[in-house]
């Protein structure tokens, strides 16, 4: 009987700390996973901002190139326009699925941006054709709707980016809070586990020696 009691005490001394340690490790692993997920959302937002920045630069190049050509009639000004037109749709299509993951309103904004871009492109192609035919004066782009259309389009992109920047701030704050929670959990649980283990071991070792 005494042997069985001793065996039971030994089992407790060995098994209980292992179970508690495993539970502690599982909790910390879950918190680490949660933190990593938050950091992934921050990275996701950064990639969206970077990609939308590429779109904005392409739009700026398109407008500068168009205005330069309309003002001078020099075909070399159209090279950036042609290159930007070629790149815009692939860049846009790369951005669209990123937003579709979690932000339907941003997806709608992208639809509006693309519609505005298509409208501006039709206008730009028309006045470029008129300039080539000698039927457009150098102030045509400024005096008609080209600048207004592009300004509105760039404002739409800027509004899209402001939303993403707001999301980024929220996600950075969430990641920071999770980091603090993980650190405090590690310290608190580690200290608590140490105290528990010391008391548990002392109590049962005392019983073994009794």
């Amino acid at each position: 009987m005494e042997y069985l009691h001793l065996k039971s005490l030994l089992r407790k001394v060995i098994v209980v700390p292992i179970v508690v340690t495993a539970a502690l490790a599982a909790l910390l692993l879950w918190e680490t996973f949660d933190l990593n997920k938050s950091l992934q959302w921050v990275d996701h937002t950064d990639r969206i901002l970077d990609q939308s920045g590429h779109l904005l630069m392409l739009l700026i190049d398109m407008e500068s190139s168009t205005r330069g050509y309309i003002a001078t009639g020099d075909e070399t000004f159209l090279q950036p326009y042609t290159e930007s037109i070629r790149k815009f749709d692939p860049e846009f299509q790369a951005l669209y699925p990123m937003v579709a993951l979690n932000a339907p309103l941003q997806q709608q904004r992208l639809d509006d941006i693309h519609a505005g871009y298509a409208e501006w492109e039709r206008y730009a192609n028309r006045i470029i054709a008129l300039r080539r035919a000698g039927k457009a004066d150098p102030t045509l782009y400024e005096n008609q709707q080209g600048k207004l259309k592009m300004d509105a389009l760039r404002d739409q992109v800027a509004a899209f980016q402001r939303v993403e920047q707001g999301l980024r701030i929220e996600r950075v704050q969430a990641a920071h809070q999770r980091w603090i929670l993980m650190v405090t959990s590690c310290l608190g649980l580690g200290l608590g586990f140490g105290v528990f283990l010391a008391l548990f071991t002392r109590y049962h070792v005392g019983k073994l020696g009794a």
Side-chain angles (χ1 to χ4, degrees), residues 4 9 12 25 27 36 45 52 67 69 71 99 112 119 129 134 137 142 159 162 168 196 203:
L4 293 177
L9 287 176
K12 288 180 181 179
L27 179 61
N36 185 60
T45 310
S52 61
R67 293 171 73 170
Y69 175 70
V99 175
D112 294 340
E119 184 179 348
D137 66 75
E142 298 292 339
R162 282 194 297 272
R168 187 185 190 280
F196 165 79
Y203 173 75

Side-chain angles (χ1 to χ4, degrees), residues 136-148:
D137 66 75
T139 62
L140 179 64
Y141 185 86
E142 298 292 339
N143 293 340
Q144 294 194 17
Q145 298 300 310
K147 185 177 185 302
L148 293 177

Side-chain angles (χ1 to χ4, degrees), residues 58-200:
L58 290 174
L59 292 174
I60 292 171
D61 287 345
M62 288 180 204
E63 185 182 33
S64 299
S65 179
T66 302
R67 293 171 73 170
Y69 175 70
I70 298 301
T72 64
D74 185 349
E75 291 280 342
T76 58
F77 275 98
L78 290 180
Q79 184 177 353
Y81 173 82
T82 303
E83 286 294 313
S84 297
I85 289 287
R86 181 179 62 81
K87 293 177 181 178
F88 187 86
D89 273 337
E91 293 279 354
F92 183 87
Q93 293 304 322
L95 177 61
Y96 200 87
M98 297 182 192
V99 175
L101 285 174
N102 68 309
L105 289 178
Q106 286 291 78
Q107 189 175 351
Q108 181 59 52
R109 288 186 179 95
L110 281 184
D111 289 339
D112 294 340
I113 288 169
H114 199 271
Y117 162 72
E119 184 179 348
W120 179 87
E121 184 186 4
R122 287 192 295 270
Y123 176 84
N125 286 336
R126 181 163 59 84
I127 62 170
I128 288 172
L130 288 173
R131 187 71 171 93
R132 281 174 173 157
K135 298 178 181 179
D137 66 75
T139 62
L140 179 64
Y141 185 86
E142 298 292 339
N143 293 340
Q144 294 194 17
Q145 298 300 310
K147 185 177 185 302
L148 293 177
K149 292 179 187 295
M150 179 56 77
D151 287 347
L153 183 55
R154 288 163 64 177
D155 286 344
Q156 285 179 306
V157 176
F160 173 88
Q161 290 182 317
R162 282 194 297 272
V163 172
E164 290 297 326
Q165 287 163 351
L167 288 173
R168 187 185 190 280
I169 291 171
E170 292 176 5
R171 289 164 180 172
V172 167
Q173 290 174 342
H176 180 66
Q177 290 170 355
R178 285 181 172 85
W179 167 253
I180 292 175
L181 177 62
M182 189 177 76
V183 171
T184 54
S185 295
C186 285
L187 293 175
L189 291 173
L191 179 61
F193 175 70
V195 172
F196 165 79
L197 186 60
L199 294 175
F200 179 86

Side-chain angles (χ1 to χ4, degrees), residues 16-32:
V16 172
I18 292 175
V19 171
V20 174
T21 302
L24 177 61
L27 179 61
L28 294 179
L29 182 63
W30 179 83
E31 289 186 352
T32 302

